[in-house]
Amino acid sequence: MQGTLGTVAVVGTGTMGQGIAQVALLAGHRVRLHDVAPGRAAEAAEAIGRRLDRLVEKGRLSEPQRTEAAARLHPVPDSSDMTQLADAELVVEAVLEELGAKQQLFTALEQIVTDDCLLATNTSSLSVTAVAGALRRPGRFLGLHFFNPAPLLPLVEVVSGHATDPAAADRAHRLAAAWGKTPVRCADTPGFLVNRVARPYYAESFRLLEERIASPATLDAVLRESGGFRMGPFELTDLIGQDVNESVTRSVWESFFQDVKFTPSLAQRRLVQSGRLGAKSGQGWYDHGEHAVRPEPQTAQPCPPPDRVGVHGGLGPAELLTELLAEAGIPVDRATPEDHNSPHAYGGWLLLPGGGRLCLADGRAPEGRDIHFDLALDYRTATRIALAPADTVPASELADAIGLFQALGKQVSVIEPAPGMIVARTVAMLVDFAADAAGRGIGTPEDIDTAMRLGVNYPRGPLGWGAALGWEWTVDVLRHLHTEHPTGRYAPSRALLRRRSAES
């Protein structure tokens, strides 16, 4: 596209189409709106105009800029006529997620636009390669996957289909950057980058719920307050819509020939079947009625801290705890190397006065007098920690463990004994999915981490997180989970194993 004033056409004027049109409009383009529904394009233009008015009211747009932008917006009056899109240098489609409808649309557009016009789909669930399969010149076709709301969210996935010319992808990438977006390159794969890598964030918590390990409110709280995620998976899918989230999960699973790693949740399926779709229906995992009261996470009552603790071996990602214990005034006795013999990752634990051991979750279920504690993004700033005691742990030792973390300023959620617990299990799977995507050339490690931070607001990119935790730690957690659940779901990917080998 030459400069920033070429014509952009947007076909399909629902929420996404309007958002994309607004982005292009404020970047200085002439924008043509087309919709097959009579009058819909004109209604969309009016809605965009109202959004521009609100930007003026908020001081984000001047009145002259608003006037100039409105003058560049042209709804096509005849819904059956696409010839007015002939001068477009880019056409972005945002119509129904139906392969046949999209193929028919782009086949018709090919007869109208010039040969150097870029054609792009905003699909989130269909194959870019499949949509392009019906085209005469598929090399200029690609995916431009914006995130809703498009004017606010910075990420755009630039998706190359099997036949997309590299030059076309380069043009689209430059254009998205010129629009003030953060584009990431992605090969055509089910879910692209974000929706492929993000599946475990929902799936692992849904599985823990099905296993009756903890309540939705507790799982959400631990992932927010210990894992550092902005929203827990239950509240997030209620916001997205259970039908939408479940549909994406099912689409990715089916596209991967029902690979067990992407298996959908039966609990979520039942939720959708019952019509409990989340906030939009008034009920999902949570009640969203006018007078609804959100359930509280399970939180332990105050317990006194232990008089002192022993530290046996290294705690790996939890090593900061020794510093925090000292700051809290709890004496720490550091054992000599020959004084400990542990099967746990990194070979370390905290020894409680009664003989119980506090061990970082490593993918195994706790046994004997072991109490597992969950991973935290940052043990200093985390406000909640989950504990999973073995069934045989005495109540007095569990109370010591609770009091220890409460003395560090944390709320404590005690959950049922679960291999990998909550945050450790979820993060290990996210790291593995990201490593697998990078290993398969779906995206660069940098683009994958950028996509997950900007697309779903993760506190760290999964690959950056994996590097910080240590690839060996992630592999150990997954291998132990695989032993506990030998279905293949938790088997470490070949790409992750290669990263572990390179690290050692």
Side-chain angles (χ1 to χ4, degrees):
M1 181 168 294
Q2 301 300 317
T4 58
L5 297 178
T7 298
V8 172
V10 178
V11 181
T13 59
T15 300
M16 283 304 303
Q18 290 179 30
I20 295 168
Q22 180 179 328
V23 171
L25 194 66
L26 293 180
H29 294 273
R30 293 184 298 274
V31 176
R32 302 200 189 282
L33 298 175
H34 183 275
D35 201 293
V36 294
R40 188 71 60 80
E43 292 172 2
E46 292 175 359
I48 293 171
R50 291 192 293 271
R51 289 189 185 132
L52 298 180
D53 289 339
R54 288 195 291 273
L55 291 176
V56 172
E57 292 170 3
K58 295 177 180 178
R60 299 176 183 172
L61 194 68
S62 70
E63 190 63 49
Q65 288 173 324
R66 189 258 184 248
T67 301
E68 292 172 4
R72 294 194 300 272
L73 184 60
H74 305 284
V76 176
D78 186 350
S79 60
S80 63
D81 178 20
M82 289 196 297
T83 59
Q84 291 191 39
L85 310 184
D87 65 338
E89 297 183 43
L90 167 69
V91 180
V92 183
E93 163 272 317
V95 303
L96 293 175
E97 290 287 83
E98 296 178 359
L99 178 61
K102 293 180 188 292
Q103 288 180 326
Q104 184 177 6
L105 168 64
F106 284 110
T107 299
L109 281 169
E110 273 199 314
Q111 310 305 314
I112 295 168
V113 299
T114 60
D115 285 349
D116 63 350
C117 175
L118 282 179
L119 300 178
T121 175
N122 184 56
T123 185
S124 61
S125 61
L126 297 177
S127 165
V128 170
T129 301
V131 178
L135 299 184
R136 171 174 52 87
R137 297 184 64 249
R140 59 167 166 180
F141 185 84
L142 70 156
L144 279 179
H145 182 217
F146 290 77
F147 289 75
N148 191 28
L152 297 180
L153 296 185
L155 186 69
V156 177
E157 292 177 318
V158 180
V159 186
S160 292
H162 186 71
T164 302
D165 290 336
D170 289 343
R171 287 176 62 195
H173 190 277
R174 289 194 300 270
L175 178 62
W179 288 2
K181 297 300 181 182
T182 303
V184 294
R185 298 177 188 270
C186 176
D188 186 21
T189 184
F192 307 144
L193 287 180
V194 172
N195 281 326
R196 172 182 173 137
V197 175
R199 292 351 291 164
Y201 186 65
Y202 315 106
E204 291 311 308
S205 281
F206 295 166
R207 190 179 181 100
L208 289 165
L209 176 69
E210 292 169 350
E211 295 171 359
R212 304 178 68 84
I213 300 302
S215 68
T218 301
L219 291 161
D220 276 351
V222 171
L223 282 162
R224 283 196 319 269
E225 300 169 36
S226 183
F229 293 93
R230 185 168 298 183
M231 296 182 73
F234 296 93
E235 57 191 346
L236 179 55
T237 52
D238 263 5
L239 178 63
I240 294 170
Q242 298 301 332
D243 52 340
V244 175
N245 182 263
E246 201 264 351
S247 176
V248 172
T249 299
R250 187 165 295 275
S251 172
V252 172
W253 174 62
E254 291 173 349
S255 297
F256 277 115
F257 307 104
Q258 301 185 355
D259 187 329
V260 68
K261 286 182 176 286
F262 297 92
T263 301
S265 162
L266 180 59
Q268 188 181 37
R269 175 95 288 248
R270 293 290 181 257
L271 203 67
V272 173
Q273 289 173 333
S274 68
R276 298 185 171 194
L277 306 182
K280 63 184 176 183
S281 70
Q283 179 73 50
W285 299 113
Y286 299 109
D287 184 354
H288 296 270
E290 184 178 355
H291 302 294
V293 177
R294 179 66 63 90
E296 293 294 323
Q298 190 280 335
T299 304
Q301 293 298 310
C303 294
D307 293 334
R308 62 193 316 110
V309 295
V311 179
H312 289 243
L315 300 179
E319 191 64 40
L320 179 62
L321 286 177
T322 59
E323 181 180 325
L324 298 180
L325 288 167
E327 292 174 4
I330 299 176
V332 176
D333 300 321
R334 176 72 74 170
T336 59
E338 58 269 17
D339 289 337
H340 74 273
N341 180 21
S342 171
H344 294 275
Y346 289 98
W349 69 86
L350 296 172
L351 183 65
L352 297 170
R357 301 193 303 181
L358 266 173
C359 312
L360 175 62
D362 70 348
R364 287 178 274 211
E367 297 179 346
R369 295 170 68 181
D370 284 355
I371 302 169
H372 286 187
F373 62 91
D374 211 345
L375 180 69
L377 174 68
D378 182 339
Y379 283 99
R380 182 176 294 280
T381 59
T383 57
R384 182 178 297 272
I385 292 293
L387 298 179
D391 293 328
T392 49
V393 168
S396 60
E397 291 185 3
L398 177 58
D400 275 347
I402 293 170
L404 182 150
F405 281 102
Q406 288 174 338
L408 302 185
K410 321 298 182 188
Q411 291 186 303
V412 177
S413 292
V414 179
I415 66 173
E416 294 299 312
M421 300 192 67
I422 302 169
V423 181
R425 179 169 170 168
T426 300
V427 169
M429 286 291 280
L430 289 171
V431 172
D432 188 57
F433 271 48
D436 183 59
R440 294 175 185 270
I442 305 305
T444 66
E446 295 77 16
D447 275 357
I448 291 170
D449 275 0
T450 296
M452 302 315 292
R453 286 188 298 99
L454 299 183
V456 278
N457 291 311
Y458 284 0
R460 298 179 82 166
L463 293 170
W465 214 337
L469 292 169
W471 305 112
E472 182 177 2
W473 181 86
T474 306
V475 168
D476 283 345
V477 169
L478 292 173
R479 280 183 164 165
H480 295 153
L481 281 165
H482 179 59
T483 300
E484 298 275 356
H485 302 284
T487 63
R489 178 187 183 97
Y490 298 105
S493 67
R494 179 61 187 156
L496 181 63
L497 293 173
R498 291 184 66 186
R499 284 177 179 267
R500 192 278 306 271
S501 296
E503 178 184 63
S504 59

